[in-house]
Amino acid sequence: MQYGKVIPGVFRQRPNRFIAYVDTAEGMQICHVKNTGRCKELLIDGAVVYLEESFNLNRKTKFDLIAVEKGELLINMDSQAPNRTAAEYLPTLFPNLSLLRPETRFGGSRFDFYVETPDERWFVEVKGVTLERDGIALFPDAPTARGAKHLRELCACMDKGYKACILFVIQMEGICLFTPNAATDPEFAQALAEASRKGVRIEAVNCLVTPGSMQIHRKIEVNLSN
């Protein structure tokens, strides 16, 4: 997955979920934040960030904030990027894939992908992960009732004869372990453990990240017993 024109800047403040003020060589910019999560450990005053320039004259903002440096880590924080990279990766995860359809509804949920192989039918939900602590990736960074609901719906898919998978896309390099963030959202952690026992396939992958690109690199270990 590639971006267009990307420039560096220095994060200053985020007055609401959608807007950030960033110092650049072209002056202070009001940027659209492509992640509505809290990201409090990432968007701190003085952090180096990366902006993609938009050439849509109908937009209110000229730039999208897509990545941030956290120490030696470069973290992509574009909430649309995990699905874009997953679409490129799913033929690897499902080598005999014959159909890949995004945004497919089942029951009360709309899952990110529906996949068919010659022998199986899958619903796949993708979760982007930007929270890192001591080299471990965690999800979520804030309570998410929607996330637990998706897991229960994946289990319901299996009751109807489908197979189900949740794919955690770690939006950074150098991470070798993923675990649910039980301290922040015990309901999601419990729902993930129950989904695993039910047979939902749980995958986590890290990514190769540059200011202007993100690509899934390899699978990493998943630890549900935290």
Side-chain angles (χ1 to χ4, degrees):
M1 185 205 72
Q2 298 283 334
Y3 292 101
K5 181 181 178 182
V6 175
I7 66 169
V10 177
F11 175 82
R12 289 308 178 198
Q13 59 175 309
R14 186 184 187 184
N16 59 51
R17 292 189 302 161
F18 307 102
I19 295 296
Y21 289 89
V22 177
D23 267 331
T24 74
E26 300 177 18
M28 183 70 73
Q29 302 293 334
I30 302 176
C31 308
H32 171 59
V33 181
K34 297 190 75 175
N35 189 318
T36 57
R38 293 180 180 177
C39 304
K40 289 183 177 181
E41 77 287 352
L42 299 178
L43 295 180
I44 59 177
D45 186 18
V48 175
V49 295
Y50 294 90
L51 314 177
E52 181 184 31
E53 184 172 355
S54 172
F55 297 96
N56 181 351
L57 299 180
N58 295 320
R59 282 180 46 134
K60 294 182 179 180
T61 56
K62 184 179 179 181
F63 295 98
D64 291 314
L65 196 163
I66 57 171
V68 58
E69 292 182 5
K70 178 189 176 188
E72 296 183 354
L73 285 176
L74 175 60
I75 301 175
N76 178 294
M77 53 176 295
D78 175 359
S79 61
Q80 298 175 4
N83 278 37
R84 292 173 62 187
T85 54
E88 299 171 351
Y89 174 72
L90 286 177
T92 300
L93 193 61
F94 300 97
N96 298 320
L97 183 148
S98 57
L99 174 66
L100 175 61
R101 187 170 68 218
E103 297 293 328
T104 301
R105 183 172 292 279
F106 177 88
S109 290
R110 185 185 299 273
F111 293 114
D112 292 315
F113 294 97
Y114 171 73
V115 170
E116 287 186 0
T117 70
D119 303 314
E120 297 172 334
R121 300 174 300 164
W122 291 78
F123 282 101
V124 180
E125 182 66 13
V126 178
K127 300 296 184 188
V129 182
T130 61
L131 178 60
E132 174 272 341
R133 291 179 186 152
D134 300 322
I136 299 172
L138 301 100
F139 181 91
D141 68 350
T144 170
R146 183 169 177 263
K149 175 177 178 287
H150 278 148
L151 289 167
R152 290 190 288 268
E153 291 281 7
L154 285 174
C155 292
C157 291
M158 300 191 68
D159 291 335
K160 297 295 185 179
Y162 296 92
K163 291 186 179 294
C165 174
I166 184 165
L167 174 65
F168 294 96
V169 177
I170 318 303
Q171 294 171 248
M172 65 196 89
E173 296 182 46
I175 303 299
C176 297
L177 179 65
F178 166 81
T179 190
N181 191 359
T184 295
D185 193 341
E187 181 184 1
F188 179 84
Q190 181 179 356
L192 188 62
E194 291 173 355
S196 178
R197 288 192 291 269
K198 180 81 174 182
V200 173
R201 182 174 176 180
I202 300 173
E203 299 279 0
V205 292
N206 62 17
C207 291
L208 301 175
V209 177
T210 73
S213 69
M214 188 172 88
Q215 179 182 9
I216 289 175
H217 183 207
R218 63 181 180 84
K219 292 184 183 183
I220 65 170
E221 180 183 351
V222 175
N223 179 8
L224 300 183
S225 58
N226 60 355

